Amino acid sequence: MGLFTMFSKHKKQPDKNEFPWILLNDINQLDEIQQNINNVDIIFKHSTRCEISRIVISKFQKKHQDNTFNCSFYYLDLLNYRSLSNKIAERFKIVHQSPQLIVIEKGKLKIHASHFDILDIDLIF
């Protein structure tokens, strides 16, 4: 147990009452995201053991809590679904990072960012 995790309020997954996350845990969901040409899909790759990831997801949720965007927000737990994270990196030709935000529009990569740069992404499309 690291120094940061010992004193922090550790949550394995975000509270779905706080934010409209869809848990991404199956390769078929990734196929659906790639085939979706009518919506914007946003994937947040989160490491539950990383303090930076915990801070960024908290700030991201607060920033977008009044979401009026026409998009779906997917949450990927990297520790439990690392192979799915690797498939995302492979399919969209991006380097795996954590935390990482990936915006998919009409089945194609629109933008991605990692660490605190996630908070600078404008989600108005």
Side-chain angles (χ1 to χ4, degrees):
M1 179 179 293
L3 180 63
F4 289 114
T5 57
M6 188 165 56
F7 296 108
S8 67
K9 293 179 182 177
H10 182 68
K11 287 187 192 180
K12 288 194 173 198
Q13 295 181 351
D15 184 346
K16 290 197 56 137
N17 293 326
E18 293 177 15
F19 200 81
W21 293 115
I22 300 167
L23 298 180
L24 180 57
N25 55 18
D26 186 279
I27 191 73
N28 293 326
Q29 289 174 287
L30 185 57
D31 294 339
E32 290 171 10
I33 289 168
Q34 277 194 284
Q35 294 168 7
N36 183 2
I37 60 167
N38 299 318
N39 197 15
V40 173
D41 295 302
I42 297 169
I43 300 171
F44 193 104
K45 293 169 40 176
H46 175 62
S47 172
T48 57
R49 291 189 193 150
C50 173
E51 186 66 20
I52 292 172
S53 193
R54 210 170 297 126
I55 291 167
V56 171
I57 197 167
S58 176
K59 288 181 182 276
F60 179 84
Q61 289 178 142
K62 285 178 186 164
K63 181 178 179 181
H64 301 292
Q65 67 187 1
D66 296 325
N67 172 26
T68 57
F69 310 114
N70 184 23
C71 61
S72 299
F73 291 93
Y74 289 87
Y75 168 89
L76 176 65
D77 178 342
L78 289 174
L79 299 181
N80 289 317
Y81 299 101
R82 180 57 194 254
S83 63
L84 187 52
S85 176
N86 291 341
K87 285 287 186 194
I88 291 168
E90 178 184 312
R91 285 193 187 185
F92 295 107
K93 299 181 182 4
I94 55 176
V95 175
H96 161 79
Q97 296 190 48
S98 168
Q100 187 172 35
L101 189 79
I102 303 162
V103 179
I104 310 298
E105 185 174 28
K106 298 182 179 181
K108 300 203 183 304
L109 176 67
K110 179 171 179 87
I111 192 169
H112 66 97
S114 66
H115 298 84
F116 289 101
D117 290 342
I118 289 170
L119 302 173
D120 294 330
I121 290 182
D122 185 5
L123 294 182
I124 298 174
F125 306 109

